[in-house]
Amino acid sequence: MSTLQIGLLYAAATFVFLFSGMPIAFAVGSVALVFMFLFMSAVQLDIVAETIYSELNSFTLLTIPLFVLMGLFVSISDIGRDTYDVANNVFRRVKAGLGMGTVGANAVFAAVTGTSIASASVFSRVAVPEMVRHGYTKSFATGVVAGSSVLGMLIPPSLLMIIYAILAEESVGRMFIAGIVPGVLTALMFPGLILARCVLAPELGPKGPPASWRERLASIGKLGPVTALFVLIIGGIYAGVFTPTEAAGVGCV
């Protein structure tokens, strides 16, 4: 078989496994293993093994599982729910306020998890039912959560930034610092788009129930843990106290 035929067969097999419902990691990995053993010689397989080991034997790459672990701790500790409660109390009396609050909570949550998957999994359970209960259409509520979850890939600590920095041989810390301004700008533009959509189509997002100033001020205290975690991680990296890998370990602790 030619190289092109092998490539097309590989792509077709991968799509078959993906659409069968198999988890992505197992679908891609199993196809790759089968094709390696079918079309590679023993010498080539040795080279592949050495390459995989040398790429994974990296202190910087250790940042990824540590940030994933930290994101898991954050998810199960209900910090995401607390963050949403704060944003909800602040914005809910504004037109499309629950949608804006969801974006704000997602931005804060992204700043300590580094992954869009964690944000989407938390806020799809927390924010979507709440928005639907207060009159938002289900499609719009789902779209708000799905769209704002992308902030997890942009606002540091972002796992994609870590992977890119390793592949491009760039500084992970500098990548994190460079992502702050674009991440904040994107987080500020999302509420504007949500408001515009709800002004043009009022049925998409009504005002939420009233909240007293006492409730709003009382809820702000819930931001303490997530704020402290963000300052510890990004502030520690920016000040040169520890490396991104060490920051991820400290964040887990």
Side-chain angles (χ1 to χ4, degrees):
M1 296 178 69
S2 67
T3 304
L4 176 60
Q5 290 173 325
I6 294 174
L8 292 175
L9 183 60
Y10 179 90
T14 302
F15 278 109
V16 169
F17 275 66
L18 288 174
F19 285 109
S20 70
M22 181 182 293
I24 295 175
F26 295 110
V28 175
S30 58
V31 174
L33 285 173
V34 169
F35 272 73
M36 282 168 53
F37 284 108
L38 285 177
F39 298 105
M40 284 187 174
S41 64
V43 175
Q44 289 173 321
L45 288 174
D46 287 340
I47 295 173
V48 169
E50 292 175 5
T51 303
I52 292 174
Y53 176 78
S54 63
E55 291 294 331
L56 292 180
N57 185 25
S58 166
F59 180 73
T60 306
L61 200 62
L62 185 62
T63 312
I64 295 176
L66 286 174
F67 272 127
V68 170
L69 179 61
M70 187 183 68
L72 179 63
F73 289 151
V74 170
S75 298
I76 65 177
S77 64
D78 277 344
I79 286 180
R81 183 180 294 275
D82 290 344
T83 306
Y84 178 72
D85 288 342
V86 175
N88 185 6
N89 285 331
V90 172
F91 290 105
R92 63 184 179 183
R93 282 305 293 166
V94 182
K95 180 71 175 176
L98 285 180
M100 296 182 187
T102 300
V103 173
N106 239 325
V108 175
F109 193 73
V112 294
T113 58
T115 170
S116 298
I117 297 174
S119 299
S121 63
V122 169
F123 289 100
S124 61
R125 296 194 302 267
V126 174
V128 172
E130 187 75 5
M131 294 170 71
V132 172
R133 187 167 67 85
H134 287 101
Y136 286 71
T137 62
K138 190 171 185 179
S139 59
F140 186 69
T142 305
V144 168
V145 171
S148 56
S149 294
V150 177
L151 294 170
M153 294 188 290
L154 186 58
I155 298 177
S158 166
L159 299 187
L160 282 183
M161 285 186 181
I162 297 171
I163 295 172
Y164 175 82
I166 293 171
L167 294 177
E169 299 182 354
E170 291 287 343
S171 165
V172 175
R174 290 175 64 188
M175 289 289 296
F176 282 177
I177 301 303
I180 294 176
V181 173
V184 171
L185 287 176
T186 306
L188 292 175
M189 292 173 67
F190 267 122
L193 177 61
I194 291 171
L195 179 61
R197 288 283 290 124
C198 291
V199 168
L200 295 174
E203 70 279 2
L204 292 179
K207 291 183 179 180
S212 67
W213 282 105
R214 179 175 294 181
E215 289 178 320
R216 295 178 183 180
L217 293 174
S219 67
I220 291 178
K222 294 181 178 180
L223 284 179
V226 70
T227 303
L229 193 57
F230 177 76
V231 172
L232 178 69
I233 295 170
I234 302 302
I237 294 173
Y238 186 74
V241 178
F242 33 62
T243 67
T245 304
E246 294 165 345
V250 171
C252 287
V253 174

